[in-house]
Amino acid sequence: MKKLHLLRHHLINAVPVLANDPERLLTFVEEGSIEFHRGHNFSHEYQFTAQLVLTDFSADLDTIMVPLLQWLAEYQPDVTPTEAVSFEAEILSHKSVDVALRVKLTERVIAKVDCDTGQIKVDHALPRFPTTGCPAPRWQLLIRDSDAQTDYTLVAEWNGPHGG
């Protein structure tokens, strides 16, 4: 489940609250299955729902959602949009919540059998599907309060897929 590690790393780097305290992002696999086909090789696909729990989260929810959606566009573009992400939240105070996100992921594993040597070579296929038209090396997330007379506030920034 290398994709879940990649997603966690991306969110920690993109969301300032998590960068300062990565232990506030808990990751689990809620339910999963393996799809495989009978035959000579043991290639298979992990299909699972990752659960990401943000504890005592006081930032705007978009500070996590926008980087998550950007990551999904690159690593899981074939997911059904209405089923890709679901969430629930527990209100802790007027400023903070615990948020549980459920994200559907798949990960292909190519396992090639060499009967002559008795070896099985395994590769995790983690293709990226770069979004076109936006080669920015660095991304910034700016949010404006519902009061339209205020300026946007920088709430997060992270390296893009083409950045350093």
Side-chain angles (χ1 to χ4, degrees), residues 8-136:
R8 179 181 170 81
H9 179 74
H10 174 72
L11 292 176
I12 288 171
N13 286 327
V15 181
V17 171
L18 299 178
N20 292 333
D21 190 1
E23 299 304 314
R24 291 174 61 192
L25 176 60
L26 309 173
T27 52
F28 307 92
V29 173
E30 191 172 271
E31 57 184 75
S33 62
I34 296 175
E35 181 180 314
F36 73 99
H37 302 281
R38 293 181 191 156
H40 181 65
N41 69 52
F42 300 112
S43 295
H44 56 281
E45 181 178 83
Y46 292 105
Q47 300 173 346
F48 58 98
T49 301
Q51 184 164 335
L52 308 162
V53 178
L54 296 100
T55 61
D56 199 24
F57 193 70
S58 58
D60 190 298
L61 193 56
D62 286 330
T63 61
I64 193 80
M65 285 301 178
V66 172
L68 171 62
L69 295 175
Q70 182 189 42
W71 187 90
L72 285 172
E74 282 193 44
Y75 285 97
Q76 198 71 49
D78 57 340
V79 70
T80 304
T82 57
E83 298 174 1
V85 180
S86 61
F87 71 95
E88 57 186 62
E90 179 182 351
I91 308 301
L92 302 175
S93 70
H94 68 285
K95 289 185 175 183
S96 65
V97 297
D98 284 347
V99 179
L101 302 165
R102 282 179 293 291
V103 182
K104 296 205 180 227
L105 298 174
T106 59
E107 184 176 326
R108 298 183 89 185
V109 179
I110 300 157
K112 295 179 183 174
V113 176
D114 184 335
C115 293
D116 294 333
T117 64
Q119 294 180 334
I120 302 170
K121 295 182 179 176
V122 174
D123 290 301
H124 285 253
L126 300 172
R128 290 174 80 170
F129 301 88
T131 54
T132 58
C134 291

